[in-house]
Amino acid sequence: MSETPPILIVDDQVKLVRLVTELMNRLGFPEVDGVSDGQQALEQLRSRRYGLVISDLDMEPMDGIQLLREIRSDDTLMNTPFILTETSFSFEDINVAHIAGADAFILKPFDLALLKTKLKQVLNGRPRKRDTPPTPVSSLKLDFPLLGRF
């Protein structure tokens, strides 16, 4: 068995699951599983430990945000890195996904170089802590060289 943790691809388009699987294999991830909806993804995540989830945003009946929220609310799964993919993201999509705990976003179609860059960022991230209180002071109360003091 490989030391590289398996990757889970979630997309309702089977062709895209195969494409992303192939890209991940080329990047050195030999174990890649694919499912076509969020509920199947949760079942897979609860039966096998994955090192990363790459999920489409727009799926039925459970979309990528709902899947992400389920993962982040589960103490066993909460630290699983999560990348959302979609053909276009609105500001609202990004904001909601960021609040839900997405680690990165990739626009489709994406190339190997972009995927590699995002993977490095996400897989080198820090684990989440459930009991971290929110910072009482806004990070915007800083002096920005071109914007002045907020």
Side-chain angles (χ1 to χ4, degrees):
M1 186 161 155
S2 170
E3 291 182 31
T4 306
I7 307 298
L8 181 62
I9 309 300
V10 188
D11 200 307
D12 53 356
Q13 296 181 32
V14 176
K15 288 181 181 181
L16 285 173
V17 170
R18 284 195 302 256
L19 171 67
V20 177
T21 299
E22 177 63 30
L23 289 173
M24 296 304 292
N25 290 157
R26 287 184 191 177
L27 290 172
F29 294 92
E31 293 184 64
V32 182
D33 294 333
V35 295
S36 60
D37 68 56
Q39 192 57 48
Q40 287 177 350
L42 286 174
E43 291 170 14
Q44 285 287 111
L45 285 160
R46 290 180 176 132
S47 68
R48 185 176 190 193
R49 183 161 173 82
Y50 286 90
L52 172 69
V53 174
I54 300 176
S55 175
D56 184 33
L57 174 65
D58 189 23
M59 300 181 294
E60 292 293 332
M62 179 187 291
D63 67 20
I65 298 292
Q66 292 168 315
L67 173 60
L68 175 58
R69 286 180 178 142
E70 288 286 331
I71 290 170
R72 294 296 181 246
S73 68
D74 185 309
D75 288 338
T76 305
L77 303 175
M78 68 183 264
N79 284 312
T80 305
F82 194 99
I83 296 175
L84 270 174
T85 65
E86 190 54 65
T87 55
S88 67
F89 286 106
S90 69
F91 177 77
E92 183 181 344
D93 290 338
I94 292 173
N95 191 40
V96 168
H98 178 71
I99 290 168
D103 295 299
F105 309 90
I106 302 178
L107 287 173
K108 296 181 207 175
F110 46 90
D111 64 14
L112 201 56
L114 175 62
L115 181 59
K116 192 174 187 177
T117 300
K118 292 291 185 177
L119 288 171
K120 283 181 184 178
Q121 291 172 353
V122 170
L123 296 176
N124 291 325
R126 294 184 177 182
R128 287 175 170 67
K129 295 180 182 173
R130 177 80 63 212
D131 299 323
T132 304
T135 308
V137 178
S138 170
S139 61
L140 292 178
K141 294 186 185 275
L142 301 172
D143 189 17
F144 291 92
L146 297 175
L147 300 176
R149 189 159 183 86
F150 276 80

